Amino acid sequence: MLKTLYTRLSLGLFLLLLAVGLLYTFISLYSLRGYSASVSQALHQDLAQTLVSDRNLVSDGGLNPGALEELFSLYMAINPSIEIYLLDLDGAILSYSANPTQIKRNHVSLTPIHQLIEDRSLYPLLGDDPRSHDRQKVFSVTPVPSTDNPQGYLYVVLRGEQYDAAETMARGGKVLEMSAWALLVSLAVAMVGGLAIFHLLTRRLRSLTRLVAEFENSDKRQPLPSHHPSALQHSHPSEASVAHFSNTRWRNKQPVVRDEIDYLGASFDDMARRIASQIEQLKEKDAQRRQLIAQVSHDLRTPLASMQGYIESLQLRRDRLSPEEQDRFLTIALKEGRRLSRLVDELFELAALEAREKQPVPEPFPLAELVHDVVQKHRPAAYESQLTLSLSGDPELPLAYADLAMTERVLDNLISNAIAYSPAGSGINVVVGQTGGEPEVCVKDSGPGIAEQDLPHIFEPFYRGDASGDSGHAGLGLAIARRIMMLQGGDIRVENLATGGACFCIRLPVKAAFSPGVINT
């Protein structure tokens, strides 16, 4: 019953309105009572003085006892709402118009009496009620026989006990009935208006809730039906709807956020798109993992089977093989063993780089000197392959800020690949320079180049294009090179040369710009 936000808001509104209505009723009745007292005292502030003059209470400079008794009797009959008391100068009650059994005081405080005599505008001003030990009421008062010759005070309680009884009866009857009806009508109108407002305010929230429920029950990859609340638009959580979402809500690259619900909707849109994208990435990674396992199994099985075959042949036919054939078998088996060892090493190195277990230790160093040493190291291999390995460019480069050993590993890989794929009699040119103030090295070979369809995948593990042939490489070297460069905050790229061949370039950061990269596997 109370599970929905709308129901809880409605109940909260009802309780709030009920509390406000009761508080308003209490304040209104209290204020009305004070207002009525103020009006009564303002209208009758001269009543005591009028009684003295109209009823001839003063005769020959003194009080007329007979006229006073007549006044008490008369006003008890014609106006029972007032009570008349005669006080001395100390506030003691000398005479009164009430039933003697009902008088609880024999003395009243003179402080409010003096205040009202001095300033007639002070109302409501309450004085002691002789019929109660603690109650106070509005009053009218005048000195008698005169202000210049006061011998006492005529003290008139304007709202006596009979007035209180009549007011209580009226309040318990028609006044309370009217107040109750007014309260109920006000609560009903406010409740209906509040419910309508809550319904409008929670409409977008209900739509968002339905959208979240549909997304929860979906496969997180298929597009959900389009929902278009007034401000919550285009909540499509799947990859298939990202394009539509981008063309509408994100047209200005920022969502239209007017309040918390819009922000919540925009956050859900972004979360749903990311979840869908991550699910697709997980599927793609799972497929790549399966493919990787298959490729690793194949690449490990090939040299292992070759090595095992030659060793078994040598063991079974040793007595029938000449020394030259035995040496050839051993050489091939050793070559395949080295190939297997290199493949395993590369697999471990790639895994360590992807897991960030192997971190670079950057330091400033002259890149041109490192490139010169690496070129000299590979010149014998180039000479054996009948290739010319040259170094050119501007040696005056800013100091690179990277891991020296990792950078050398990348250069070794690029130059080795260039030697492996360049035809005999051609040349390999290593060029040093800078781009945007950062040192750069480009290795340009004279091989067949890279097919256009292979360029986007050239740095993926185990990827080997059609032009690679059977080079003896597992396709891990460029993947390792890319991860090394990303860890160092650098960059690696490849392009085909117009004259033929491929050009691999690496760019290293300088110290002020160094920022370790994030590997996206």
Side-chain angles (χ1 to χ4, degrees):
M1 187 68 180
L2 298 178
K3 289 184 178 180
T4 64
L5 177 62
Y6 181 78
T7 306
R8 294 179 181 179
L9 288 175
S10 302
L11 180 60
L13 176 64
F14 174 76
L15 295 177
L16 177 62
L17 290 177
L18 182 61
V20 171
L22 293 176
L23 180 62
Y24 175 77
T25 302
F26 173 78
I27 294 176
S28 298
L29 292 177
Y30 181 81
S31 301
L32 182 62
R33 187 177 180 86
Y35 172 77
S36 177
S38 299
V39 172
S40 179
Q41 192 170 35
L43 289 175
H44 302 92
Q45 60 178 335
D46 297 328
L47 177 61
Q49 187 176 358
T50 303
L51 291 176
V52 171
S53 60
D54 288 350
R55 305 308 303 175
N56 299 319
L57 296 182
V58 178
S59 176
D60 298 328
L63 285 172
N64 186 345
L68 184 62
E69 290 294 332
E70 183 182 352
L71 174 67
F72 288 163
S73 300
L74 177 64
Y75 272 86
M76 285 183 65
I78 65 174
N79 191 2
S81 66
I82 66 174
E83 300 168 2
I84 306 173
Y85 300 89
L86 180 63
L87 310 178
D88 63 12
L89 293 178
D90 295 326
I93 300 176
L94 302 177
S95 181
Y96 42 83
S97 63
N99 189 341
T101 60
Q102 297 177 344
I103 300 301
K104 301 294 191 301
R105 291 175 180 264
N106 54 17
H107 185 279
V108 297
S109 174
L110 293 178
T111 302
I113 292 176
H114 293 158
Q115 291 177 346
L116 188 61
I117 291 175
E118 293 175 0
D119 188 355
R120 294 286 181 175
S121 63
L122 293 178
Y123 47 80
L125 187 61
L126 303 181
D128 291 338
D129 182 8
R131 297 195 183 197
S132 173
H133 291 292
D134 53 2
R135 189 169 56 229
Q136 290 186 317
K137 294 186 176 180
V138 291
F139 64 94
S140 176
V141 68
T142 187
V144 289
S146 67
T147 304
D148 297 333
N149 183 28
Q151 298 177 7
Y153 302 97
L154 188 66
Y155 183 71
V156 182
V157 176
L158 300 178
R159 303 175 65 176
E161 194 169 86
Q162 294 191 35
Y163 180 91
D164 289 342
E167 183 186 38
T168 301
M169 183 181 302
R171 189 186 305 124
K174 197 65 177 178
V175 173
L176 283 184
E177 181 181 355
M178 293 176 59
S179 300
W181 276 108
L183 176 62
L184 290 176
V185 172
S186 301
L187 287 177
V189 173
M191 191 68 185
V192 172
L195 292 178
I197 294 174
F198 284 165
H199 179 77
L200 294 176
L201 291 177
T202 58
R203 181 176 57 184
R204 291 178 295 152
L205 193 59
R206 291 194 302 273
S207 178
L208 179 60
T209 302
R210 287 194 300 269
L211 187 63
V212 172
E214 292 176 12
F215 180 75
E216 182 181 7
N217 296 327
S218 70
D219 60 359
K220 313 297 187 296
R221 293 181 290 109
Q222 297 300 323
L224 290 177
S226 175
H227 292 269
H228 298 275
S230 59
L232 183 63
Q233 299 179 356
H234 308 297
S235 300
H236 301 278
S238 63
E239 279 292 302
S241 60
V242 172
H244 176 65
F245 183 91
S246 300
N247 292 331
T248 52
R249 181 173 186 153
W250 294 85
R251 184 171 297 152
N252 297 324
K253 299 183 179 180
Q254 288 293 336
V256 180
V257 176
R258 294 179 297 191
D259 55 20
E260 291 83 354
I261 299 179
D262 283 336
Y263 177 78
L264 183 61
S267 300
F268 171 74
D269 291 339
D270 182 63
M271 178 202 69
R273 288 178 14 258
R274 281 186 293 168
I275 290 176
S277 176
Q278 289 170 354
I279 290 177
E280 292 298 325
Q281 290 178 5
L282 288 175
K283 289 183 61 181
E284 182 180 353
K285 295 304 178 185
D286 184 66
Q288 291 179 357
R289 179 185 61 82
R290 296 175 183 272
Q291 182 181 6
L292 180 64
I293 293 175
Q295 289 173 335
V296 168
S297 300
H298 175 269
D299 287 322
L300 289 176
R301 189 183 299 114
T302 300
L304 186 60
S306 178
M307 182 174 59
Q308 183 179 355
Y310 279 103
I311 293 176
E312 288 179 353
S313 297
L314 183 60
Q315 182 183 26
L316 295 174
R317 302 169 51 192
R318 180 182 303 174
D319 55 342
R320 288 175 287 173
L321 294 176
S322 63
E324 292 79 8
E325 289 177 324
Q326 293 181 16
D327 290 340
R328 184 171 64 86
F329 279 24
L330 288 174
T331 300
I332 295 175
L334 182 59
K335 178 182 177 182
E336 294 298 329
R338 290 171 178 168
R339 176 183 173 185
L340 182 62
S341 177
R342 183 173 66 249
L343 176 59
V344 172
D345 290 342
E346 289 180 346
L347 282 172
F348 278 113
E349 183 179 8
L350 180 61
L353 289 172
E354 289 181 342
R356 302 183 75 96
E357 295 176 358
K358 189 175 182 180
Q359 294 291 332
V361 181
E363 59 179 322
F365 64 90
L367 181 60
E369 293 185 8
L370 175 63
V371 174
H372 179 270
D373 294 341
V374 175
V375 168
Q376 293 298 327
K377 180 171 61 175
H378 286 274
R379 276 214 166 101
Y383 179 78
E384 291 180 3
S385 300
Q386 300 179 6
L387 297 172
T388 302
L389 181 58
S390 61
L391 175 62
S392 62
D394 182 12
E396 299 297 329
L397 301 177
L399 292 178
Y401 190 70
D403 189 293
L404 187 63
M406 284 188 172
T407 305
E408 183 177 359
R409 173 75 172 87
V410 174
L411 291 173
D412 285 337
N413 180 271
L414 297 181
I415 295 177
S416 297
N417 285 347
I419 293 174
Y421 289 105
S422 295
S426 61
I428 300 171
N429 188 21
V430 181
V431 183
V432 294
Q434 56 180 312
T435 299
E438 294 181 332
E440 184 178 67
V441 181
C442 292
V443 180
K444 302 178 181 180
D445 60 44
S446 302
I450 302 171
E452 291 298 326
Q453 67 271 17
D454 295 335
L455 281 175
H457 310 285
I458 197 66
F459 294 107
E460 295 178 4
F462 291 101
Y463 186 84
R464 286 173 292 190
D466 296 336
S468 62
D470 186 13
S471 61
H473 293 278
L476 295 176
L478 291 179
I480 292 173
R482 184 185 69 166
R483 279 154 176 76
I484 288 177
M485 294 309 300
M486 294 180 69
L487 280 175
Q488 296 190 115
D491 181 45
I492 183 171
R493 68 180 189 277
V494 61
E495 61 183 8
N496 286 319
L497 298 173
T499 57
C503 176
F504 286 85
C505 295
I506 64 170
R507 177 179 48 82
L508 294 172
V510 294
K511 186 171 185 178
F514 175 73
S515 178
V518 177
I519 294 180
N520 296 319
T521 57

